mmCIF file of all heavy atoms in Angstrom:
data_model
loop_
_atom_site.group_PDB
_atom_site.id
_atom_site.type_symbol
_atom_site.label_atom_id
_atom_site.label_comp_id
_atom_site.label_asym_id
_atom_site.label_seq_id
_atom_site.Cartn_x
_atom_site.Cartn_y
_atom_site.Cartn_z
ATOM 1 N N GLN M 1 0.824 -1.213 -0.002
ATOM 2 C CA GLN M 1 0.002 -0.003 0.002
ATOM 3 C C GLN M 1 0.856 1.256 0.000
ATOM 4 O O GLN M 1 0.517 2.255 -0.663
ATOM 5 C CB GLN M 1 -0.906 0.012 1.244
ATOM 6 C CG GLN M 1 -2.047 -0.975 1.197
ATOM 7 C CD GLN M 1 -2.928 -0.896 2.434
ATOM 8 O OE1 GLN M 1 -4.008 -1.481 2.468
ATOM 9 N NE2 GLN M 1 -2.505 -0.179 3.460
ATOM 10 N N ALA M 2 1.960 1.231 0.728
ATOM 11 C CA ALA M 2 2.812 2.413 0.849
ATOM 12 C C ALA M 2 3.687 2.629 -0.374
ATOM 13 O O ALA M 2 4.297 3.701 -0.513
ATOM 14 C CB ALA M 2 3.700 2.294 2.090
ATOM 15 N N ASN M 3 3.763 1.640 -1.262
ATOM 16 C CA ASN M 3 4.627 1.720 -2.443
ATOM 17 C C ASN M 3 3.833 1.349 -3.690
ATOM 18 O O ASN M 3 3.868 0.191 -4.137
ATOM 19 C CB ASN M 3 5.825 0.780 -2.290
ATOM 20 C CG ASN M 3 6.752 1.143 -1.152
ATOM 21 O OD1 ASN M 3 7.651 1.965 -1.303
ATOM 22 N ND2 ASN M 3 6.526 0.537 0.011
ATOM 23 N N PRO M 4 3.099 2.297 -4.257
ATOM 24 C CA PRO M 4 2.226 1.979 -5.398
ATOM 25 C C PRO M 4 2.966 1.422 -6.618
ATOM 26 O O PRO M 4 2.339 0.785 -7.467
ATOM 27 C CB PRO M 4 1.574 3.336 -5.725
ATOM 28 C CG PRO M 4 1.704 4.133 -4.486
ATOM 29 C CD PRO M 4 2.971 3.696 -3.831
ATOM 30 N N MET M 5 4.271 1.654 -6.726
ATOM 31 C CA MET M 5 5.036 1.159 -7.862
ATOM 32 C C MET M 5 5.784 -0.146 -7.534
ATOM 33 O O MET M 5 6.662 -0.553 -8.264
ATOM 34 C CB MET M 5 6.020 2.215 -8.349
ATOM 35 C CG MET M 5 5.370 3.457 -8.898
ATOM 36 S SD MET M 5 4.168 3.081 -10.214
ATOM 37 C CE MET M 5 5.244 2.424 -11.489
ATOM 38 N N LEU M 6 5.397 -0.765 -6.457
ATOM 39 C CA LEU M 6 5.938 -2.080 -6.108
ATOM 40 C C LEU M 6 4.976 -3.123 -6.659
ATOM 41 O O LEU M 6 3.829 -3.215 -6.238
ATOM 42 C CB LEU M 6 6.071 -2.203 -4.588
ATOM 43 C CG LEU M 6 6.714 -3.477 -4.020
ATOM 44 C CD1 LEU M 6 8.069 -3.751 -4.634
ATOM 45 C CD2 LEU M 6 6.826 -3.361 -2.496
ATOM 46 N N GLY M 7 5.456 -3.918 -7.605
ATOM 47 C CA GLY M 7 4.580 -4.877 -8.302
ATOM 48 C C GLY M 7 4.505 -6.220 -7.631
ATOM 49 O O GLY M 7 3.434 -6.850 -7.590
ATOM 50 N N ILE M 8 5.643 -6.717 -7.129
ATOM 51 C CA ILE M 8 5.684 -8.004 -6.444
ATOM 52 C C ILE M 8 6.549 -7.849 -5.210
ATOM 53 O O ILE M 8 7.673 -7.337 -5.292
ATOM 54 C CB ILE M 8 6.265 -9.124 -7.349
ATOM 55 C CG1 ILE M 8 5.416 -9.314 -8.612
ATOM 56 C CG2 ILE M 8 6.359 -10.435 -6.585
ATOM 57 C CD1 ILE M 8 5.987 -10.343 -9.587
ATOM 58 N N LEU M 9 6.045 -8.306 -4.085
ATOM 59 C CA LEU M 9 6.804 -8.323 -2.846
ATOM 60 C C LEU M 9 6.888 -9.759 -2.358
ATOM 61 O O LEU M 9 5.886 -10.349 -1.949
ATOM 62 C CB LEU M 9 6.159 -7.439 -1.783
ATOM 63 C CG LEU M 9 6.872 -7.393 -0.426
ATOM 64 C CD1 LEU M 9 8.319 -6.945 -0.561
ATOM 65 C CD2 LEU M 9 6.128 -6.499 0.553
ATOM 66 N N GLN M 10 8.080 -10.323 -2.417
ATOM 67 C CA GLN M 10 8.318 -11.705 -2.039
ATOM 68 C C GLN M 10 8.806 -11.774 -0.602
ATOM 69 O O GLN M 10 9.740 -11.070 -0.214
ATOM 70 C CB GLN M 10 9.378 -12.327 -2.957
ATOM 71 C CG GLN M 10 9.817 -13.724 -2.595
ATOM 72 C CD GLN M 10 8.718 -14.732 -2.770
ATOM 73 O OE1 GLN M 10 8.198 -14.916 -3.864
ATOM 74 N NE2 GLN M 10 8.329 -15.397 -1.690
ATOM 75 N N SER M 11 8.162 -12.614 0.211
ATOM 76 C CA SER M 11 8.651 -12.825 1.564
ATOM 77 C C SER M 11 9.770 -13.855 1.553
ATOM 78 O O SER M 11 9.886 -14.667 0.630
ATOM 79 C CB SER M 11 7.511 -13.290 2.485
ATOM 80 O OG SER M 11 7.036 -14.579 2.064
ATOM 81 N N LEU M 12 10.599 -13.822 2.581
ATOM 82 C CA LEU M 12 11.648 -14.826 2.752
ATOM 83 C C LEU M 12 11.003 -16.055 3.394
ATOM 84 O O LEU M 12 10.583 -16.005 4.545
ATOM 85 C CB LEU M 12 12.765 -14.273 3.632
ATOM 86 C CG LEU M 12 13.970 -15.189 3.864
ATOM 87 C CD1 LEU M 12 14.645 -15.563 2.551
ATOM 88 C CD2 LEU M 12 14.980 -14.523 4.784
ATOM 89 N N VAL M 13 10.932 -17.147 2.647
ATOM 90 C CA VAL M 13 10.199 -18.328 3.068
ATOM 91 C C VAL M 13 11.141 -19.291 3.790
ATOM 92 O O VAL M 13 12.255 -19.541 3.333
ATOM 93 C CB VAL M 13 9.562 -19.037 1.859
ATOM 94 C CG1 VAL M 13 8.597 -20.118 2.329
ATOM 95 C CG2 VAL M 13 8.845 -18.047 0.962
ATOM 96 N N VAL M 14 10.692 -19.825 4.919
ATOM 97 C CA VAL M 14 11.487 -20.812 5.667
ATOM 98 C C VAL M 14 10.655 -22.073 5.857
ATOM 99 O O VAL M 14 9.428 -22.063 5.725
ATOM 100 C CB VAL M 14 11.952 -20.259 7.035
ATOM 101 C CG1 VAL M 14 12.843 -19.050 6.847
ATOM 102 C CG2 VAL M 14 10.755 -19.911 7.917
ATOM 103 N N GLY M 15 11.345 -23.171 6.160
ATOM 104 C CA GLY M 15 10.681 -24.449 6.301
ATOM 105 C C GLY M 15 9.979 -24.603 7.638
ATOM 106 O O GLY M 15 10.451 -24.128 8.667
ATOM 107 N N MET M 16 8.843 -25.280 7.619
ATOM 108 C CA MET M 16 8.124 -25.586 8.856
ATOM 109 C C MET M 16 8.852 -26.706 9.612
ATOM 110 O O MET M 16 9.566 -27.500 9.016
ATOM 111 C CB MET M 16 6.717 -26.082 8.545
ATOM 112 C CG MET M 16 5.808 -25.099 7.884
ATOM 113 S SD MET M 16 4.192 -25.878 7.685
ATOM 114 C CE MET M 16 3.498 -24.827 6.406
ATOM 115 N N PRO M 17 8.640 -26.795 10.913
ATOM 116 C CA PRO M 17 9.117 -27.972 11.651
ATOM 117 C C PRO M 17 8.569 -29.237 10.992
ATOM 118 O O PRO M 17 7.416 -29.286 10.556
ATOM 119 C CB PRO M 17 8.536 -27.765 13.050
ATOM 120 C CG PRO M 17 8.381 -26.275 13.164
ATOM 121 C CD PRO M 17 8.001 -25.810 11.806
ATOM 122 N N SER M 18 9.418 -30.253 10.915
ATOM 123 C CA SER M 18 9.043 -31.455 10.171
ATOM 124 C C SER M 18 9.358 -32.716 10.963
ATOM 125 O O SER M 18 10.332 -32.768 11.726
ATOM 126 C CB SER M 18 9.793 -31.494 8.836
ATOM 127 O OG SER M 18 9.528 -32.693 8.133
ATOM 128 N N ARG M 19 8.547 -33.761 10.742
ATOM 129 C CA ARG M 19 8.811 -35.077 11.307
ATOM 130 C C ARG M 19 9.862 -35.832 10.498
ATOM 131 O O ARG M 19 10.398 -36.821 10.973
ATOM 132 C CB ARG M 19 7.510 -35.890 11.336
ATOM 133 C CG ARG M 19 6.483 -35.424 12.347
ATOM 134 C CD ARG M 19 5.194 -36.216 12.154
ATOM 135 N NE ARG M 19 4.246 -35.994 13.235
ATOM 136 C CZ ARG M 19 3.011 -36.490 13.233
ATOM 137 N NH1 ARG M 19 2.605 -37.217 12.223
ATOM 138 N NH2 ARG M 19 2.202 -36.258 14.238
ATOM 139 N N SER M 20 10.058 -35.405 9.256
ATOM 140 C CA SER M 20 10.988 -36.093 8.360
ATOM 141 C C SER M 20 12.428 -35.699 8.669
ATOM 142 O O SER M 20 12.743 -34.515 8.763
ATOM 143 C CB SER M 20 10.654 -35.733 6.905
ATOM 144 O OG SER M 20 11.765 -35.936 6.060
ATOM 145 N N ALA M 21 13.309 -36.698 8.803
ATOM 146 C CA ALA M 21 14.721 -36.406 9.038
ATOM 147 C C ALA M 21 15.314 -35.659 7.857
ATOM 148 O O ALA M 21 16.071 -34.695 8.028
ATOM 149 C CB ALA M 21 15.488 -37.698 9.292
ATOM 150 N N PHE M 22 14.949 -36.073 6.640
ATOM 151 C CA PHE M 22 15.493 -35.419 5.444
ATOM 152 C C PHE M 22 15.103 -33.944 5.423
ATOM 153 O O PHE M 22 15.966 -33.059 5.263
ATOM 154 C CB PHE M 22 14.993 -36.115 4.177
ATOM 155 C CG PHE M 22 15.537 -35.516 2.905
ATOM 156 C CD1 PHE M 22 16.697 -36.024 2.338
ATOM 157 C CD2 PHE M 22 14.899 -34.459 2.283
ATOM 158 C CE1 PHE M 22 17.210 -35.468 1.179
ATOM 159 C CE2 PHE M 22 15.397 -33.894 1.123
ATOM 160 C CZ PHE M 22 16.563 -34.401 0.563
ATOM 161 N N ALA M 23 13.805 -33.657 5.550
ATOM 162 C CA ALA M 23 13.353 -32.270 5.507
ATOM 163 C C ALA M 23 13.931 -31.469 6.650
ATOM 164 O O ALA M 23 14.324 -30.308 6.487
ATOM 165 C CB ALA M 23 11.830 -32.217 5.540
ATOM 166 N N ARG M 24 14.001 -32.075 7.821
ATOM 167 C CA ARG M 24 14.500 -31.380 9.005
ATOM 168 C C ARG M 24 15.946 -30.919 8.815
ATOM 169 O O ARG M 24 16.286 -29.763 9.076
ATOM 170 C CB ARG M 24 14.377 -32.328 10.193
ATOM 171 C CG ARG M 24 14.767 -31.749 11.529
ATOM 172 C CD ARG M 24 14.702 -32.815 12.615
ATOM 173 N NE ARG M 24 14.922 -32.238 13.924
ATOM 174 C CZ ARG M 24 13.978 -31.723 14.682
ATOM 175 N NH1 ARG M 24 12.736 -31.725 14.260
ATOM 176 N NH2 ARG M 24 14.266 -31.188 15.861
ATOM 177 N N ILE M 25 16.798 -31.828 8.370
ATOM 178 C CA ILE M 25 18.214 -31.480 8.199
ATOM 179 C C ILE M 25 18.390 -30.524 7.036
ATOM 180 O O ILE M 25 19.144 -29.535 7.126
ATOM 181 C CB ILE M 25 19.050 -32.755 7.998
ATOM 182 C CG1 ILE M 25 18.884 -33.696 9.192
ATOM 183 C CG2 ILE M 25 20.522 -32.403 7.826
ATOM 184 C CD1 ILE M 25 19.497 -35.077 8.974
ATOM 185 N N PHE M 26 17.691 -30.800 5.932
ATOM 186 C CA PHE M 26 17.838 -29.942 4.752
ATOM 187 C C PHE M 26 17.441 -28.505 5.051
ATOM 188 O O PHE M 26 18.167 -27.563 4.712
ATOM 189 C CB PHE M 26 16.993 -30.488 3.601
ATOM 190 C CG PHE M 26 16.917 -29.555 2.420
ATOM 191 C CD1 PHE M 26 17.972 -29.468 1.525
ATOM 192 C CD2 PHE M 26 15.809 -28.734 2.231
ATOM 193 C CE1 PHE M 26 17.913 -28.581 0.454
ATOM 194 C CE2 PHE M 26 15.738 -27.859 1.165
ATOM 195 C CZ PHE M 26 16.799 -27.776 0.272
ATOM 196 N N GLN M 27 16.286 -28.310 5.668
ATOM 197 C CA GLN M 27 15.825 -26.930 5.873
ATOM 198 C C GLN M 27 16.623 -26.207 6.955
ATOM 199 O O GLN M 27 16.702 -24.974 6.942
ATOM 200 C CB GLN M 27 14.333 -26.899 6.172
ATOM 201 C CG GLN M 27 13.888 -27.567 7.450
ATOM 202 C CD GLN M 27 12.384 -27.836 7.438
ATOM 203 O OE1 GLN M 27 11.759 -28.037 6.393
ATOM 204 N NE2 GLN M 27 11.775 -27.840 8.603
ATOM 205 N N PHE M 28 17.246 -26.946 7.877
ATOM 206 C CA PHE M 28 18.147 -26.311 8.836
ATOM 207 C C PHE M 28 19.308 -25.648 8.095
ATOM 208 O O PHE M 28 19.642 -24.486 8.330
ATOM 209 C CB PHE M 28 18.672 -27.360 9.822
ATOM 210 C CG PHE M 28 19.598 -26.805 10.883
ATOM 211 C CD1 PHE M 28 19.091 -26.238 12.031
ATOM 212 C CD2 PHE M 28 20.977 -26.860 10.719
ATOM 213 C CE1 PHE M 28 19.946 -25.718 13.016
ATOM 214 C CE2 PHE M 28 21.836 -26.358 11.693
ATOM 215 C CZ PHE M 28 21.319 -25.786 12.838
ATOM 216 N N GLY M 29 19.925 -26.382 7.154
ATOM 217 C CA GLY M 29 21.012 -25.803 6.374
ATOM 218 C C GLY M 29 20.532 -24.734 5.407
ATOM 219 O O GLY M 29 21.179 -23.700 5.231
ATOM 220 N N MET M 30 19.394 -24.988 4.783
ATOM 221 C CA MET M 30 18.853 -24.033 3.816
ATOM 222 C C MET M 30 18.518 -22.705 4.480
ATOM 223 O O MET M 30 18.757 -21.636 3.921
ATOM 224 C CB MET M 30 17.594 -24.624 3.168
ATOM 225 C CG MET M 30 16.983 -23.766 2.091
ATOM 226 S SD MET M 30 18.025 -23.735 0.615
ATOM 227 C CE MET M 30 16.980 -22.812 -0.508
ATOM 228 N N ARG M 31 17.986 -22.791 5.685
ATOM 229 C CA ARG M 31 17.611 -21.565 6.391
ATOM 230 C C ARG M 31 18.827 -20.707 6.667
ATOM 231 O O ARG M 31 18.805 -19.491 6.453
ATOM 232 C CB ARG M 31 16.898 -21.917 7.692
ATOM 233 C CG ARG M 31 16.391 -20.715 8.467
ATOM 234 C CD ARG M 31 15.323 -21.133 9.433
ATOM 235 N NE ARG M 31 14.746 -20.022 10.144
ATOM 236 C CZ ARG M 31 13.617 -20.093 10.840
ATOM 237 N NH1 ARG M 31 12.926 -21.232 10.873
ATOM 238 N NH2 ARG M 31 13.135 -19.039 11.479
ATOM 239 N N HIS M 32 19.898 -21.332 7.139
ATOM 240 C CA HIS M 32 21.116 -20.558 7.388
ATOM 241 C C HIS M 32 21.735 -20.084 6.084
ATOM 242 O O HIS M 32 22.284 -18.971 6.012
ATOM 243 C CB HIS M 32 22.096 -21.401 8.190
ATOM 244 C CG HIS M 32 21.623 -21.728 9.564
ATOM 245 N ND1 HIS M 32 21.213 -20.755 10.454
ATOM 246 C CD2 HIS M 32 21.456 -22.908 10.208
ATOM 247 C CE1 HIS M 32 20.818 -21.323 11.582
ATOM 248 N NE2 HIS M 32 20.952 -22.634 11.465
ATOM 249 N N GLY M 33 21.657 -20.908 5.048
ATOM 250 C CA GLY M 33 22.209 -20.508 3.765
ATOM 251 C C GLY M 33 21.508 -19.310 3.156
ATOM 252 O O GLY M 33 22.107 -18.532 2.411
ATOM 253 N N MET M 34 20.217 -19.146 3.472
ATOM 254 C CA MET M 34 19.439 -18.062 2.877
ATOM 255 C C MET M 34 19.590 -16.741 3.609
ATOM 256 O O MET M 34 19.321 -15.679 3.044
ATOM 257 C CB MET M 34 17.961 -18.440 2.829
ATOM 258 C CG MET M 34 17.621 -19.528 1.831
ATOM 259 S SD MET M 34 17.828 -18.988 0.125
ATOM 260 C CE MET M 34 16.423 -17.876 -0.049
ATOM 261 N N ARG M 35 19.987 -16.771 4.853
ATOM 262 C CA ARG M 35 19.965 -15.552 5.683
ATOM 263 C C ARG M 35 20.854 -14.463 5.093
ATOM 264 O O ARG M 35 20.395 -13.396 4.668
ATOM 265 C CB ARG M 35 20.407 -15.877 7.110
ATOM 266 C CG ARG M 35 19.464 -16.795 7.858
ATOM 267 C CD ARG M 35 20.078 -17.275 9.157
ATOM 268 N NE ARG M 35 20.140 -16.227 10.167
ATOM 269 C CZ ARG M 35 19.244 -16.055 11.105
ATOM 270 N NH1 ARG M 35 18.200 -16.847 11.158
ATOM 271 N NH2 ARG M 35 19.376 -15.098 11.996
ATOM 272 N N SER M 36 22.144 -14.683 5.109
ATOM 273 C CA SER M 36 23.076 -13.668 4.601
ATOM 274 C C SER M 36 23.019 -13.577 3.089
ATOM 275 O O SER M 36 23.168 -12.484 2.514
ATOM 276 C CB SER M 36 24.506 -13.996 5.062
ATOM 277 O OG SER M 36 24.595 -13.931 6.457
ATOM 278 N N TYR M 37 22.812 -14.719 2.414
ATOM 279 C CA TYR M 37 22.783 -14.725 0.950
ATOM 280 C C TYR M 37 21.700 -13.785 0.419
ATOM 281 O O TYR M 37 21.958 -12.964 -0.473
ATOM 282 C CB TYR M 37 22.535 -16.148 0.454
ATOM 283 C CG TYR M 37 22.497 -16.287 -1.055
ATOM 284 C CD1 TYR M 37 23.613 -16.722 -1.740
ATOM 285 C CD2 TYR M 37 21.337 -15.992 -1.784
ATOM 286 C CE1 TYR M 37 23.595 -16.850 -3.133
ATOM 287 C CE2 TYR M 37 21.304 -16.109 -3.160
ATOM 288 C CZ TYR M 37 22.439 -16.545 -3.825
ATOM 289 O OH TYR M 37 22.417 -16.663 -5.196
ATOM 290 N N THR M 38 20.491 -13.888 0.951
ATOM 291 C CA THR M 38 19.396 -13.060 0.455
ATOM 292 C C THR M 38 19.633 -11.592 0.753
ATOM 293 O O THR M 38 19.321 -10.722 -0.077
ATOM 294 C CB THR M 38 18.070 -13.526 1.071
ATOM 295 O OG1 THR M 38 17.884 -14.916 0.798
ATOM 296 C CG2 THR M 38 16.895 -12.756 0.500
ATOM 297 N N MET M 39 20.185 -11.301 1.922
ATOM 298 C CA MET M 39 20.476 -9.909 2.252
ATOM 299 C C MET M 39 21.519 -9.344 1.283
ATOM 300 O O MET M 39 21.365 -8.223 0.758
ATOM 301 C CB MET M 39 20.988 -9.801 3.690
ATOM 302 C CG MET M 39 21.200 -8.371 4.167
ATOM 303 S SD MET M 39 19.671 -7.425 4.314
ATOM 304 C CE MET M 39 18.962 -8.165 5.791
ATOM 305 N N GLY M 40 22.576 -10.113 1.024
ATOM 306 C CA GLY M 40 23.600 -9.649 0.109
ATOM 307 C C GLY M 40 23.099 -9.490 -1.302
ATOM 308 O O GLY M 40 23.392 -8.499 -1.983
ATOM 309 N N ALA M 41 22.317 -10.457 -1.777
ATOM 310 C CA ALA M 41 21.783 -10.375 -3.129
ATOM 311 C C ALA M 41 20.825 -9.204 -3.278
ATOM 312 O O ALA M 41 20.809 -8.514 -4.312
ATOM 313 C CB ALA M 41 21.087 -11.681 -3.490
ATOM 314 N N SER M 42 20.010 -8.950 -2.249
ATOM 315 C CA SER M 42 19.056 -7.845 -2.315
ATOM 316 C C SER M 42 19.753 -6.495 -2.346
ATOM 317 O O SER M 42 19.220 -5.523 -2.902
ATOM 318 C CB SER M 42 18.105 -7.898 -1.116
ATOM 319 O OG SER M 42 17.398 -9.113 -1.077
ATOM 320 N N TRP M 43 20.930 -6.415 -1.750
ATOM 321 C CA TRP M 43 21.684 -5.157 -1.704
ATOM 322 C C TRP M 43 22.001 -4.642 -3.098
ATOM 323 O O TRP M 43 21.951 -3.434 -3.348
ATOM 324 C CB TRP M 43 22.965 -5.372 -0.910
ATOM 325 C CG TRP M 43 23.867 -4.195 -0.782
ATOM 326 C CD1 TRP M 43 23.693 -3.109 0.011
ATOM 327 C CD2 TRP M 43 25.108 -3.982 -1.486
ATOM 328 N NE1 TRP M 43 24.741 -2.234 -0.134
ATOM 329 C CE2 TRP M 43 25.638 -2.746 -1.046
ATOM 330 C CE3 TRP M 43 25.821 -4.730 -2.414
ATOM 331 C CZ2 TRP M 43 26.836 -2.243 -1.517
ATOM 332 C CZ3 TRP M 43 27.018 -4.233 -2.892
ATOM 333 C CH2 TRP M 43 27.517 -2.994 -2.452
ATOM 334 N N TRP M 44 22.320 -5.559 -4.018
ATOM 335 C CA TRP M 44 22.685 -5.096 -5.371
ATOM 336 C C TRP M 44 21.612 -5.378 -6.425
ATOM 337 O O TRP M 44 21.544 -4.677 -7.439
ATOM 338 C CB TRP M 44 24.008 -5.702 -5.817
ATOM 339 C CG TRP M 44 24.073 -7.204 -5.840
ATOM 340 C CD1 TRP M 44 24.433 -8.019 -4.830
ATOM 341 C CD2 TRP M 44 23.767 -8.049 -6.956
ATOM 342 N NE1 TRP M 44 24.366 -9.338 -5.231
ATOM 343 C CE2 TRP M 44 23.969 -9.386 -6.523
ATOM 344 C CE3 TRP M 44 23.352 -7.819 -8.264
ATOM 345 C CZ2 TRP M 44 23.763 -10.476 -7.367
ATOM 346 C CZ3 TRP M 44 23.146 -8.900 -9.105
ATOM 347 C CH2 TRP M 44 23.353 -10.221 -8.657
ATOM 348 N N ALA M 45 20.731 -6.368 -6.187
ATOM 349 C CA ALA M 45 19.656 -6.629 -7.152
ATOM 350 C C ALA M 45 18.604 -5.529 -7.065
ATOM 351 O O ALA M 45 18.020 -5.125 -8.082
ATOM 352 C CB ALA M 45 19.029 -7.993 -6.892
#
């Protein structure tokens, strides 16, 4: 609402708690991998 020329606003998506060992371990690493990466990429993109 505050930015009428903003067409798409993407949230930073993280994994839900999971019963699956695969999903649990994968999203733990993915979550940490996305934190600084997304901030850095957004700085210049």
